[in-house]
Amino acid sequence: MSAQLTEKIRKLKAERNAVILAHNYQTGDIQDLADFTGDSLELSRKASQTDADVIVFCGVRFMAETAAILAPEKIVLLPDKHAGCPLADMITAEQLRDLKRKHPAALVVCYVNSSAEVKAQSDYCCTSANAAEIVEGLPEDKEIIFVPDQHLGRFVGEKTGRNLILWPGYCVTHAAITQDDIKKAKTAFPDAVVMAHPECTEPVKEICDQILSTGQMLKFARQSEARRFIVATETGIIHSLKKQNPGKEFFAASERAVCPNMKRITMEKVLWSLEDMQYQIKVPEPVRTRAKTALDRMVAILPAK
Ligand code: 13P
């Protein structure tokens, strides 16, 4: 059944001249099906460079929206129209405008986990892989507003020594991982390296060994001499970690760290999406052009590691 489904998708994908992009949090079957699996920055770069006519985005809405902003001539499909991001919904363009009115001289950096309207109100966009590099590149005498993730914002503030104006947004999936989970995992696997995503809360990050984006986790695990790893992020990434490192062991810091929105994408929905050319993600002009300026700056800056 699954082989048949894969075959149908491959055939239709070729007919439509489509490319399938999948985030590291997707289920294993989707990651294996995709032409490219990666973190938010890698996927944005792929979307902006592909010569396919159609991009099937296996991820959440802001990721498909980002692809539609960067590649307006392509058809961008999100296989489940309800695959959203609660973190992205935690700030509206109106709320950001209010914050900007309070700090009229500030530059605005927004995390890619945000709506197109919020990006359009921002000077720079970033992902967790290059947030510190983006902030480091800003003039030292400038105030900086960082939205919407407070935990990534605090991490970037510490790393760069900049005093950022933060917004109290957070990822509900990463918030489910507690310091207690990490302590328990460390007791069970004392020799393991703990990798945490910057969206994790401060008590989690305080006792971890590495703070990395999902793409950086994959790179770090491949290059590390360690044999065991505790992974404090959405559990979907364990699939690629295991696949790329057959001799190493990976343990989820918490089995609760499952993003229900990422998991809305299924093989069937990918097939239906290509059959019906649904759901097309479009960003109206001029929101798109304004958001593109912030996103172009994001895709231009690579992470330091
Ligand atoms: P990455 O950019 O590290 O892949 O993270 C994406 C994300 O949405 C984290 O919740």
Side-chain angles (χ1 to χ4, degrees):
M1 176 58 196
S2 151
Q4 257 179 332
L5 200 53
T6 307
E7 202 32 53
K8 274 189 184 171
I9 295 170
R10 293 233 158 99
K11 206 165 152 255
L12 204 50
K13 192 182 75 161
E15 275 170 33
R16 303 267 197 229
N17 188 27
V19 67
I20 300 179
L21 302 183
H23 188 264
N24 291 322
Y25 295 159
Q26 291 290 295
T27 52
D29 51 358
I30 302 274
Q31 292 192 37
D32 293 344
L33 169 78
D35 297 290
F36 183 79
T37 301
D39 71 9
S40 310
L41 183 60
E42 294 161 342
L43 293 171
S44 302
R45 295 173 72 90
K46 279 279 169 202
S48 67
Q49 290 159 2
T50 180
D51 49 19
D53 295 319
V54 178
I55 299 172
V56 182
F57 215 112
C58 300
V60 293
R61 176 169 291 264
F62 77 80
M63 295 180 175
E65 239 178 31
T66 297
I69 293 165
L70 289 169
E73 69 291 355
K74 317 270 177 211
I75 295 174
V76 179
L77 304 176
L78 181 64
D80 185 314
K81 65 177 173 187
H82 299 295
C85 172
L87 165 60
D89 294 340
M90 284 182 195
I91 188 163
T92 63
E94 193 43 48
Q95 286 171 314
L96 179 54
R97 270 194 290 272
D98 279 349
L99 191 60
K100 284 167 69 172
R101 273 193 282 271
K102 286 186 195 132
H103 304 275
L107 289 171
V108 180
V109 180
C110 80
Y111 189 26
V112 72
N113 300 41
S114 54
S115 67
E117 290 75 17
V118 164
K119 289 182 177 81
Q121 291 291 322
S122 303
D123 300 297
Y124 295 81
C125 199
C126 69
T127 75
S128 59
N130 67 1
E133 286 79 3
I134 301 253
V135 168
E136 251 154 23
L138 303 181
E140 280 185 17
D141 58 340
K142 277 279 186 190
E143 271 192 307
I144 302 168
I145 292 173
F146 188 97
V147 296
D149 189 296
Q150 58 176 306
H151 300 299
L152 174 64
R154 261 181 225 119
F155 168 68
V156 171
E158 263 174 42
K159 219 173 155 186
T160 59
R162 302 293 295 265
N163 191 13
L164 305 178
I165 299 158
L166 300 179
W167 185 258
Y170 63 95
C171 164
V172 286
T173 300
H174 283 90
I177 306 171
T178 64
Q179 191 186 59
D180 223 40
D181 291 328
I182 308 292
K183 284 183 179 162
K184 277 189 195 136
K186 279 179 146 194
T187 308
F189 312 108
D191 57 330
V193 175
V194 184
M195 304 188 291
H197 195 276
E199 286 180 24
C200 287
T201 61
E202 285 65 46
V204 165
K205 284 184 291 198
E206 258 163 40
I207 60 164
C208 77
D209 301 304
Q210 295 287 332
I211 302 175
L212 303 164
S213 78
T214 61
Q216 288 167 333
M217 282 185 190
L218 286 159
K219 190 172 171 198
F220 178 82
R222 280 195 303 271
Q223 292 174 349
S224 170
E225 297 284 304
R227 312 306 298 165
R228 290 175 145 186
F229 302 82
I230 294 161
V231 185
T233 193
E234 213 276 348
T235 58
I237 195 175
I238 306 258
H239 175 79
S240 281
L241 283 167
K242 285 187 174 165
K243 202 169 152 185
Q244 293 177 14
N245 304 278
K248 300 180 182 178
E249 289 181 286
F250 299 91
F251 308 98
S254 166
E255 292 298 340
R256 290 186 309 277
V258 177
C259 172
N261 285 290
M262 284 282 177
K263 268 45 185 191
R264 279 180 176 275
I265 312 295
T266 62
M267 295 285 280
E268 285 81 1
K269 286 181 193 169
V270 173
L271 175 65
W272 300 334
S273 159
L274 277 164
E275 278 175 352
D276 303 337
M277 295 300 276
Q278 291 224 64
Y279 294 90
Q280 293 193 26
I281 304 298
K282 290 196 179 115
V283 178
E285 308 274 350
V287 170
R288 190 194 68 79
T289 23
R290 290 192 61 187
K292 188 170 183 296
T293 307
L295 278 171
D296 282 342
R297 291 171 172 165
M298 177 187 92
V299 290
I301 306 286
L302 289 171
K305 59 176 175 181

